[in-house]
Amino acid sequence: MDRARPRLSRRRLLKGAALAAVPYALLPEGRASAQSAAVDYPPAEWQAASSSNYTVSDRPGDYTVDRVIIHVTQETYTDTLAIFANPQKKVSAHYVVRSADGHVAQCVHEADIAWHAGNWTYNTRSIGIEHEGWTDQPSYFTDALYVESAKLTAAICAKYRIPRDREHIIGHYQVPGTDHTDPGPNWDWVRYIRMVNFA
């Protein structure tokens, strides 16, 4: 004897969907979506780089982290995040700091190797921080950018026991083999290192 297939009512469908969503609603904010991820630096916002633009690792187990490399984007904050999210670009950094208010986005987990230095050895042993702006436009280096970046760098130095000095907090231009000049002559290193040490 043939049985007719049971018909699901609209109410039953909605009830089922609501029950299915409950476990996600109970998760802490930032964990409910498979697209989101926990940040390493709590004030940061997660803005994922494409997985094609960094190397998955397990630092500091796989590689010692002993440097912070300071960059300037030569792009806007928004365009930088878009570049890192584009799988064709083959570039990323761990963090991006916005000029106007110092807002920090994390794009690559610190355990992973961001492709920011142009030198594999330096990539494996460093955390890369991009700063919105252009090397020849010092107005992008706002007080807010310096303050929030210094707090971020101080937290990284504390976590990995990196000395807070110019030997360990370096500019992209100091990476062997690079053709970059950032952060450029308008970056105030004396002020920045002082701020990192007092953060």
Side-chain angles (χ1 to χ4, degrees), residues 44-145:
E45 166 192 19
W46 182 250
Q47 290 285 336
S50 167
S51 61
S52 298
N53 295 342
Y54 64 89
T55 302
V56 174
S57 189
D58 186 23
R59 302 184 314 165
D62 292 345
Y63 299 94
T64 299
V65 176
D66 64 3
R67 295 279 184 282
V68 175
I69 300 180
I70 302 300
H71 302 268
V72 172
T73 61
Q74 299 297 109
E75 292 286 348
T76 65
Y77 173 85
T78 303
D79 286 350
T80 301
L81 295 178
I83 289 167
F84 290 172
N86 182 338
Q88 304 302 313
K89 295 298 183 177
K90 307 299 180 202
V91 66
S92 63
H94 295 93
Y95 296 98
V96 182
V97 182
R98 190 163 56 204
S99 172
D101 57 3
H103 179 75
V104 177
Q106 182 171 6
C107 305
V108 176
H109 285 289
E110 292 175 9
D112 296 326
I113 301 165
W115 300 347
H116 62 97
N119 175 312
W120 177 249
T121 301
Y122 274 68
N123 280 343
T124 63
R125 63 193 286 195
S126 64
I127 302 292
I129 305 175
E130 287 279 2
H131 297 81
E132 179 185 22
W134 283 261
T135 58
D136 62 347
Q137 296 181 40
S139 61
Y140 276 90
F141 304 151
T142 62
D143 289 341
L145 178 137

Side-chain angles (χ1 to χ4, degrees), residues 70 138 141 146 166 183-195:
I70 302 300
F141 304 151
Y146 275 116
R166 284 288 286 119
N186 293 306
W187 185 262
D188 190 340
W189 280 109
V190 173
R191 176 185 184 196
Y192 188 69
I193 296 297
R194 184 183 309 122
M195 292 174 80

